[in-house]
Amino acid sequence: MAIEYPCKSPDINLGEGQENISFPMFLQRRFGPQSADLLSSPPKTAQTPQWAKGWPGKDTGSKSSLREQRILDTTMHDIFLYIGNYLADGQPKRDPWLKALDQLMPAHPFRDELRHPDEEPDKCSSYLWGSFMAAVADLDPQTMRQAVERPDSPAAINARNLIEKTIRRDLQSPEYRDIRYPRGRSGNNVHTIGYLLPSNAANTIQVLSDYAIKVINKKCIEEIMAQPNGPGKLRMLACFVGCASSPNLWHHPIVVRKCLMPLAETLKASLSLKHPQDAPSLIRENLIEVWDSNPRKDII
């Protein structure tokens, strides 16, 4: 069964001259409608995503990109709605989650630390935080728990060192700086997060790993860790932020692998896509396996 809309949804102001709309309507305008399959045509409305405007139905042919984007957008529609409902007013233990979410969201002041004044802006810099969250989601949950329990103990110090080491290892990997659509292999189809290139990575990784340790020491993280399956819940929150902060998941394979897939597996019963395959199966077959079968060339 698809996620049901709450009876009372908050209104969202789209700015001057724009009407207030409900959160579910906002999601539909951003990601398109919920859908149980990839065969039926989406309804034609005044404001629809590109995949809905050009949806070719069963015979995708050369329009496989529309199919991939529909899978991603339909899944994100459901995930945003689920998380939004969970964090709505009246939910128990809501405050630590909102505070943790605030800590994990992109920290814009760090841009000044990452970029030198004489450098050209990195055109793929907006993908950096998603890759960082993918590295956070890759952390071992029990190591996260050890890092906040008795913070001055040798075990906690060792856990924080391991967290920093894991983030450094991940962000040094080419796949974390890789920006390409599933069939992109080289040339104009492949881009790179400049901040994570070897020439820039040392400073970038130092800033981000320091920030990860700073976040782990926050009181709100400690409160989440004290809940049943706290480390797993924190990982899911990092996954959500990774998906939400990526400009385009269709171009961001590491976030689809490390962030979207864990969320899709965990929330599978609440996601709309069910026929003929569920959302995780569709993501794996139509995106992850396609990326794997089209390895990029000329990795820098």
Side-chain angles (χ1 to χ4, degrees):
M1 176 180 290
I3 302 170
E4 294 183 358
Y5 296 146
C7 295
K8 295 182 66 177
S9 300
D11 288 340
I12 297 176
N13 192 322
L14 299 180
E16 186 176 355
Q18 301 290 325
E19 76 276 22
N20 290 343
I21 62 173
S22 67
F23 184 51
M25 181 58 69
F26 171 79
L27 292 177
Q28 179 163 323
R29 290 187 178 185
R30 173 63 182 83
F31 297 112
Q34 292 177 301
S35 177
D37 61 68
L38 293 175
L39 302 180
S40 60
S41 299
K44 298 185 183 302
T45 59
Q47 294 178 313
T48 56
Q50 186 60 43
W51 65 259
K53 294 176 182 177
W55 181 243
K58 184 177 181 180
D59 183 18
T60 58
S62 63
K63 296 184 179 180
S64 54
S65 62
L66 296 175
R67 177 184 178 90
E68 295 156 2
Q69 291 176 66
R70 181 175 186 176
I71 292 169
L72 291 172
D73 280 4
T74 302
T75 303
M76 285 297 292
H77 184 152
D78 291 347
I79 288 174
F80 268 70
L81 187 59
Y82 185 95
I83 298 295
N85 287 343
Y86 186 83
L87 296 178
D89 290 338
Q91 291 294 337
K93 301 182 179 178
R94 172 176 173 261
D95 285 349
W97 286 92
L98 293 178
K99 291 177 181 176
L101 185 63
D102 182 63
Q103 291 296 319
L104 291 174
M105 290 300 286
H108 298 294
F110 282 104
R111 292 182 180 177
D112 294 334
E113 296 183 44
L114 295 174
R115 186 174 67 228
H116 298 293
D118 56 344
E119 287 182 344
E120 289 292 325
D122 179 0
K123 67 178 180 180
C124 290
S125 63
S126 54
Y127 287 90
L128 175 63
W129 203 263
S131 289
F132 174 44
M133 284 295 105
V136 172
D138 198 37
L139 296 171
D140 176 66
Q142 295 312 312
T143 301
M144 296 281 285
R145 184 187 293 277
Q146 290 176 348
V148 301
E149 291 179 344
R150 292 174 298 178
D152 295 328
S153 68
I157 293 172
N158 288 337
R160 289 195 290 274
N161 289 337
L162 182 57
I163 287 170
E164 185 174 1
K165 181 179 179 180
T166 300
I167 289 176
R168 286 180 175 275
R169 179 204 67 201
D170 283 353
L171 294 181
Q172 288 171 350
S173 170
E175 64 177 342
Y176 278 78
R177 58 179 184 255
D178 194 10
I179 304 300
R180 64 189 180 105
Y181 78 103
R183 288 164 307 288
R185 301 178 67 183
S186 61
N188 293 332
N189 295 325
V190 174
H191 302 283
T192 303
I193 301 175
Y195 287 134
L196 295 179
L197 287 172
S199 57
N200 301 323
N203 179 55
T204 301
I205 293 172
Q206 184 65 58
V207 169
L208 294 178
S209 58
D210 288 348
Y211 187 74
I213 299 301
K214 178 182 177 181
V215 169
I216 288 169
N217 291 330
K218 294 290 183 179
K219 179 69 174 176
C220 56
I221 303 299
E222 181 180 341
E223 292 181 32
I224 289 176
M225 289 296 190
Q227 298 179 21
N229 191 29
K233 291 179 178 179
L234 182 63
R235 180 174 182 249
M236 289 298 100
L237 196 60
C239 288
F240 172 69
V241 173
C243 292
S245 61
S246 177
N248 189 344
L249 289 179
W250 187 50
H251 288 167
H252 209 167
I254 194 63
V255 173
V256 172
R257 294 173 187 273
K258 299 289 187 179
C259 298
L260 185 64
M261 272 299 290
L263 284 172
E265 291 285 4
T266 300
L267 304 178
K268 181 164 57 177
S270 298
L271 300 180
S272 298
L273 287 172
K274 297 191 182 301
H275 302 293
Q277 296 168 279
D278 59 27
S281 298
L282 289 166
I283 293 168
R284 187 178 298 107
E285 178 181 313
N286 290 272
L287 291 135
I288 293 176
E289 291 180 3
V290 179
W291 270 307
D292 291 342
S293 64
N294 292 283
R296 68 173 290 183
K297 298 177 180 178
D298 303 322
I299 295 179
I300 299 175

